[in-house]
Amino acid sequence: MSISTPSNLLNNPLVNFGRGIASYPEVRAEHIDPAITFLLGEAETAVKKATDLSAASTWESLVEPLEDATESLGRSWGVISHLNSVTDSAELRTAYGEMLPKVTAFFSSLSQNLALYTKYKAIKNSAEFTGLTIAQKKVIENSLRDFRLGGAELSDSDKSRFAEIQDEQAILSKAFSDHVLDATDAFIYAIQDESQLAGLPEDAIAAAADTAQQKGVEGWVFTLHFPSYYPVMLYSDNRTFRQSMYEAYITRSSELAHQFANGKPEWDNTENMLKQLRLRDEEARMLGFPNYAALSLAPKMANEVSEVDQFLGDIAKRAKPFAQKDWYELQEFARPDLDTTDGLQPWDIPYYSEKLKQARYSFSENELKQYFPLSKVLEGLFGVIQTLFGVKITQADLPIWHADVQSFSVMNEGGDIVAYFYLDPYARTGKRGGAWMDDARGRRQLSGGDVQIPVAYLVCNFAPPVKVDGELRQPTITHDDVITLFHESGHGLHHLLTQVGALGVSGINGVEWDAVELPSQFMENFCWEWEVLEKMTAHVDTGKPLPRSLFDKMLAAKNFQNGMGTLRQVVFSLLDWRLHSTFNTQEAEKYGVLELSRVISAEFNVIPQPKISRWPNTFSHIFAGGYAAGYYSYKWAEVLSADAYSAFEDAAKLSGSVLDTQTGKRYRQEILEVGGSRPAAESFRAFRGREPKIDALLRHGGLIEVAAE
């Protein structure tokens, strides 16, 4: 389908990029309403044509035209959503918010369209279906499932209410995210006395000085953005400073925020969470499911609500002995340094954990960080990708939305460009926290025979470059940041290296949510391999690679406090899961989200949850990030990814390198290239030749010895 653009929209960058790449610098808030209104109209027209009784129910006459129209709308809306996440402004936020209900309503109505549902069923039952490709068949089957889950079989009156639920959820999700961003941006902690900076690394101090200058404040300014906040928690010798930062951070977007930070009542997410949970529960029951968790499993690998509960409980049981040992050792280590009446407080835990690690392994995270300039890390990352998957990554010159953004092309062995991706690496005001990969454009076989190549966003929030002694210092990132970059690149590879031509199951599309983290967590493993790190490190001052002795210490510390870390993830996962599986019948509805988090923490964690803590109020993954009743998938997919990586470890015993090209080729063919065109369990079995086992995860995490007793 070729969209004929009205003359008044010819210069609108949200309409005129067609199948190309958006001109991000040209997008303005005033472009959003006319562009989306026009594209919505085109999409609605396409739906009317598709559902016409005289129109044939075939792939070419039904699915392709519908995909054309909805993809054009989705891609333009994707550009707007992306910019809203990385370049937030009052104007953009307002324009985005005004169109959000209309876009949500359209896609909700699409999934509820009984005539369209009937047409897709006709394709499934036709003689043509047997002649479709595997990927096309999967698109039809997934669509039929999504029609059912989208409310197509509901009565007209129920459809109306179902659409209202989708609209309300979209608005609440956006509000949740806005509140967290506003609360994070609003807080500053200014220091004028240099002695209060004791213990902080040089680059953290330089960044604080730079922030103070930007904000017109004397001295040094610290914020709740993670690159500013976390070094304070790890290294500051000023306990009062750490406490103030912690209290502001852990109470963001709650009723306590005004006591500890520049919080506003309208940023409190407490009622927002309850509203979202009520709507999700209502949605599930309308579709015939007992709760939202059960509904969420319909397109996932896990089959039963109890299966996920049992899985998380088993992980907790295996990790708890290690966590108890971790917690006891940390308390004993800190005891001589703390007031006995006060003891180890939440704002002390990162600080003394880092000191214990330094004492035990004779290195600090800050020392290690100096060996990871971002440019060198990217060189190493690209080297791994190029070696394993037979591609070449080169700098590109795509339109960008900020001066810090870089763009790259991915070429095959024949020199043809097969994909593009963006990297937006640094934290800044107006940019949502965290790290993520998103789909800018999916791979698709076009009706004329051409292939639309995929484009991805890789977004991180690393500490930006700062001036030291008047000179801009090359940015370095922590090893945790390195792992984050490899993680997001794994998602990117899943999207970029697909060979599927049907958009609905191309790349990450159509992949079960509890398996979608497999490729991302798989890539993290390379961050612990000497043959990889020695080629991707160069000291920021001397240029020398990471010494083997420091690597050995780092490796020895790999599972430091992993017991506590694992239980922390279990608590996150169980809060999400039980909020969505027991909401109407147990603690959540009666006492609220916070109380349920405390109940779960008391049962499964070894570190007491502080009374002041309001961490659920910023749990964006499940209230603004698409992971509702799905946070468990990080641990679920970790089993798959660790087992997949063990194939490379096995290959290394023969070839001498985990960068084994033959194993990499099989992984690319059986996992990355097939995308969502077949069930993830089949893809895993095709690669490993068997069902997944938990052994590799336990071994990698050092959770075997005590658990085996």
Side-chain angles (χ1 to χ4, degrees):
M1 172 182 167
S2 176
I3 293 179
S4 177
T5 308
S7 58
N8 66 313
L9 293 176
L10 289 175
N11 294 320
N12 190 311
L14 292 170
V15 176
N16 64 17
F17 68 97
R19 293 200 179 278
I21 293 173
S23 182
Y24 298 94
E26 297 177 11
V27 177
R28 300 287 181 270
E30 59 266 26
H31 293 134
I32 295 175
D33 188 320
I36 298 304
T37 298
F38 168 68
L39 292 171
L40 274 170
E42 292 292 309
E44 287 164 353
T45 299
V47 173
K48 288 179 182 177
K49 289 181 179 179
T51 53
D52 190 301
L53 293 177
S54 63
S57 298
T58 67
W59 180 271
E60 290 186 357
S61 64
L62 176 70
V63 181
E64 284 190 358
L66 200 57
E67 278 192 348
D68 279 336
T70 55
E71 186 194 14
S72 295
L73 171 62
R75 286 188 57 209
S76 290
W77 185 246
V79 169
I80 299 163
S81 300
H82 174 69
L83 292 176
N84 185 61
S85 295
V86 296
T87 59
D88 179 66
S89 68
E91 297 79 12
L92 181 62
R93 183 184 292 192
T94 299
Y96 174 77
E98 287 174 352
M99 296 308 295
L100 178 62
K102 298 179 182 179
V103 175
T104 303
F106 169 76
F107 283 107
S108 179
S109 68
L110 197 65
S111 63
Q112 293 182 6
N113 192 310
L114 189 58
L116 205 54
Y117 181 29
T118 303
K119 291 272 189 178
Y120 271 78
K121 284 196 286 189
I123 296 178
K124 175 67 188 297
N125 297 325
S126 71
E128 181 207 18
F129 185 76
T130 57
L132 296 180
T133 67
I134 291 173
Q136 289 171 333
K137 289 178 181 176
K138 194 69 162 64
V139 168
I140 298 298
E141 290 166 350
N142 285 358
S143 296
L144 291 173
R145 177 200 67 202
D146 294 342
F147 276 118
R148 291 190 292 270
L149 298 181
E153 296 177 335
L154 295 174
S155 67
D156 288 343
S157 59
D158 282 345
K159 281 182 181 178
S160 176
R161 175 56 189 156
F162 195 87
E164 289 176 1
I165 290 172
Q166 308 312 307
D167 186 22
E168 289 175 39
Q169 286 190 76
I171 293 170
L172 287 166
S173 175
K174 179 182 181 298
F176 188 98
S177 182
D178 288 347
H179 295 166
V180 175
L181 178 59
D182 288 341
T184 303
D185 281 347
F187 177 85
I188 66 169
Y189 190 100
I191 288 178
Q192 278 78 44
D193 183 355
E194 190 170 2
S195 66
Q196 294 184 40
L197 302 174
L200 290 175
E202 182 183 58
D203 56 355
I205 295 172
D210 190 48
T211 302
Q213 187 176 25
Q214 292 175 26
K215 295 184 178 296
V217 177
E218 291 292 322
W220 300 266
V221 165
F222 296 85
T223 73
L224 298 183
H225 290 282
F226 205 71
S228 178
Y229 168 78
Y230 197 54
V232 174
M233 304 313 295
L234 277 183
Y235 302 114
S236 174
D237 295 332
N238 185 333
R239 196 182 189 207
T240 301
F241 181 20
R242 295 199 312 267
Q243 179 178 353
S244 297
M245 292 290 284
Y246 171 83
E247 290 175 337
Y249 191 84
I250 206 66
T251 58
R252 287 173 302 157
S253 301
S254 78
E255 85 285 3
L256 299 181
H258 68 281
Q259 298 179 32
F260 302 103
N262 301 326
K264 293 185 179 180
E266 61 265 31
W267 295 345
D268 181 4
N269 275 330
T270 303
E271 187 60 30
N272 181 300
M273 293 186 291
L274 290 172
K275 287 179 179 178
Q276 289 200 58
L277 290 167
R278 292 185 188 112
L279 290 169
R280 290 169 184 170
D281 187 69
E282 183 181 355
E283 174 187 346
R285 293 178 187 280
M286 288 182 74
L287 294 173
F289 292 90
N291 49 61
Y292 190 82
L295 166 60
S296 81
L297 290 181
K300 290 175 180 171
M301 288 182 70
N303 296 309
E304 302 289 341
V305 170
S306 59
E307 183 182 0
V308 176
D309 255 323
Q310 184 176 344
F311 169 74
L312 292 171
D314 185 47
I315 293 288
K317 181 180 179 181
R318 291 170 183 265
K320 197 158 191 174
F322 295 89
Q324 289 169 330
K325 184 171 179 286
D326 291 341
W327 182 230
Y328 174 78
E329 289 174 346
L330 183 61
Q331 289 175 297
E332 290 302 301
F333 177 79
R335 192 183 307 279
D337 207 25
L338 293 171
D339 188 304
T340 54
T341 60
D342 191 13
L344 193 67
Q345 296 297 314
W347 46 87
D348 299 319
I349 293 173
Y351 178 76
Y352 283 102
S353 291
E354 175 61 16
K355 285 197 172 298
L356 175 58
K357 184 196 276 188
Q358 291 179 30
R360 183 174 293 175
Y361 303 106
S362 302
F363 80 97
S364 72
E365 288 298 327
N366 189 55
E367 175 189 3
L368 187 61
K369 178 183 176 184
Q370 308 313 311
Y371 287 94
F372 292 107
L374 180 58
S375 59
K376 190 68 175 177
V377 173
L378 287 175
E379 183 183 317
L381 169 62
F382 295 166
V384 170
I385 294 170
Q386 291 169 160
T387 301
L388 286 178
F389 306 128
V391 297
K392 184 179 181 181
I393 299 174
T394 59
Q395 199 86 32
D397 187 24
L398 304 181
I400 57 176
W401 51 89
H402 191 275
D404 291 336
V405 177
Q406 303 174 61
S407 61
F408 300 90
S409 60
V410 181
M411 293 184 287
N412 62 20
E413 292 172 328
D416 300 317
I417 295 177
V418 296
Y420 291 106
F421 68 93
Y422 287 97
L423 174 65
D424 187 347
Y426 305 124
R428 57 180 176 267
T429 299
K431 180 180 177 183
R432 178 161 63 89
W436 66 92
M437 188 286 296
D438 207 355
D439 170 353
R441 185 175 73 190
R443 188 181 190 275
R444 185 180 174 195
Q445 185 82 39
L446 303 175
S447 55
D450 292 336
V451 174
Q452 173 179 282
I453 65 174
V455 183
Y457 305 119
L458 302 185
V459 184
C460 300
N461 270 278
F462 304 146
V466 295
K467 286 185 177 180
V468 178
D469 297 329
E471 293 186 8
L472 194 65
R473 184 183 177 91
Q474 185 179 188
T476 59
I477 62 176
T478 67
H479 186 251
D480 281 346
D481 289 338
V482 174
I483 293 173
T484 296
L485 183 61
F486 271 65
H487 178 103
E488 299 308 333
S489 74
H491 282 309
L493 291 168
H494 206 182
H495 177 64
L496 300 172
L497 297 186
T498 184
Q499 289 298 297
V500 177
L503 187 63
V505 290
S506 170
I508 62 172
N509 294 330
V511 177
E512 295 96 318
W513 199 252
D514 44 6
V516 79
E517 295 294 334
L518 189 166
S520 56
Q521 292 174 337
F522 163 81
M523 285 296 293
E524 294 180 19
N525 292 281
F526 292 103
C527 300
W528 298 98
E529 297 290 351
W530 171 246
E531 66 175 298
V532 173
L533 290 188
E534 67 175 334
K535 295 174 183 175
M536 62 183 281
T537 53
H539 195 279
V540 68
D541 294 324
T542 67
K544 293 182 178 180
L546 182 74
R548 181 61 192 249
S549 59
L550 183 52
F551 169 77
D552 289 340
K553 294 174 184 176
M554 181 185 104
L555 197 60
K558 176 176 182 282
N559 293 320
F560 176 69
Q561 295 184 344
N562 189 42
M564 290 198 304
T566 299
L567 289 190
R568 180 174 180 268
Q569 289 301 110
V570 167
V571 169
F572 287 170
S573 300
L574 277 172
L575 175 66
D576 169 41
W577 194 245
R578 293 188 178 173
L579 281 173
H580 293 100
S581 62
T582 64
F583 176 68
N584 260 357
T585 57
Q586 295 185 19
E587 292 93 343
E589 180 71 7
K590 185 176 180 181
Y591 301 111
V593 177
L594 178 62
E595 184 57 32
L596 182 57
S597 76
R598 287 174 173 157
V599 169
I600 292 171
S601 182
E603 180 179 357
F604 289 94
N605 215 343
V606 296
I607 302 176
Q609 182 166 312
K611 289 184 178 180
I612 191 180
S613 175
R614 296 295 186 272
W615 66 266
N617 289 53
T618 55
F619 199 178
S620 295
H621 272 78
I622 71 168
F623 291 112
Y627 273 81
Y631 198 83
Y632 79 90
S633 64
Y634 281 102
K635 278 297 171 192
W636 185 278
E638 203 173 338
V639 172
L640 304 176
S641 63
D643 199 351
Y645 188 73
S646 68
F648 289 80
E649 294 175 314
D650 293 342
K653 295 172 184 176
L654 300 175
S655 67
S657 172
V658 291
L659 300 178
D660 184 78
T661 56
Q662 289 304 310
T663 310
K665 182 179 181 180
R666 284 196 302 109
Y667 177 83
R668 174 176 174 170
Q669 291 173 341
E670 303 294 358
I671 302 292
L672 300 179
E673 290 186 355
V674 299
S677 65
R678 68 182 178 193
E682 288 185 21
S683 294
F684 183 90
R685 286 194 295 269
F687 175 63
R688 280 309 262 137
R690 57 166 173 75
E691 298 294 330
K693 299 178 180 179
I694 199 173
D695 306 56
L697 173 63
L698 298 176
R699 175 169 53 83
H700 288 171
L703 301 178
I704 293 178
E705 183 181 340
V706 175
E709 293 180 357

